[in-house]
Amino acid sequence: MKLPRNFPLRPFALGLVAVAFSAILFGRAQAGGSHYFPPVADPLVKEECGSCHLAFAPSMLPASSWQRMMANLKDHFGDDASLEPDVAAKIADYLVSNAGDRGGQRYSDKLLRGVSAGNAPLRITELPKWVREHRKVPDWEWKHKEVRTRANCTACHVDAAKGYYDE
Amino acid sequence: MNPLTLSHVLAAVLALSVSGAGIAGPREDQLAAYAAAAKAANPAFAGFSAARGKTLHTQSFGLGKPDTPACTSCHGNDPRGAGRTPAGKTVEAMALSVSPTRYVDPAKVEKWFKRNCNEVLGRECNAQEKGDWLTFMAGQ
């Protein structure tokens, strides 16, 4: 194919680069879609699960994990988070029905890959996918006074409370 | 009435009910209940003391969990300023003047006394300690 003599080659090449670059960005943005975990919408759950830490999205764990967690609030990762039984039951219902292998399934498929409901992990930060995604975070960053614990998502993911966990 | 307006009205009503002098609200009722319990436990009880409440709030006990030797470990040194939990969550100021909607739900107050006294003191607080502490915060 012969290009016309006055074909604007340089603008054309620049245009191609721009298109390729946007395609990469768009691809990332789409991948970012799997970094969205709808935040807790129920006011009771938000209040009771969000006073000490971010109210973690129910889709981040399977139903069996939430059942196990809600059955032992007396020792909640070393803290006493016990609630009145009727309140605890309402919260457990919400977490279970929106869990990553129930209502929240379409948000959790990647995060919960390789996690069997039988394992019922309690810590989101021990899910294989979580560990892989955070493997490049150096130790000093975890120990930073604004971070201090792996449960402090919002220290780095500024929009975590809205459900977005992109960088 | 849209929800925003309704919540404003509610907030205004709440603010009025807790700040209105002489009007008994849930906070006064709860304090009265603590006073009765303190008197029952100790006949020499002669009323709550904001000074004792301040000591309770600021003293480092180191009897509960290692990260929380004192109330101020999470609530911060200034009762009128915000605090921060070990997991990085902001805790609204405890001083009533700054957070006027606090202390209107007795069950909530009891829930946090139970948890936090255990974390700091390694035991539940008694009625006199709770009343002293509330009296201190109500005056802040």
Side-chain angles (χ1 to χ4, degrees), chain B residues 3-4 6-7 15 19 24 31 33 35 41 57 60-61 65 71 91-92 94-95 108-109 113 115 119 123 126 128 132:
Chain B
L4 192 69
L6 182 64
S7 68
S19 63
L31 266 176
H57 187 67
S60 186
F61 293 95
K65 295 188 48 171
C71 305
V91 184
E92 254 185 81
M94 300 316 286
K108 185 175 173 181
V109 171
F113 269 136
R115 288 178 179 176
E119 302 230 320
R123 60 166 174 83
N126 61 40
Q128 187 201 301
D132 287 343

Side-chain angles (χ1 to χ4, degrees), chain B residues 96-117:
Chain B
L96 190 63
S97 63
V98 180
S99 306
T101 54
R102 281 202 182 278
Y103 317 121
V104 292
D105 176 355
K108 185 175 173 181
V109 171
E110 271 292 292
K111 179 181 82 178
W112 287 107
F113 269 136
K114 179 162 177 265
R115 288 178 179 176
N116 294 351
C117 290

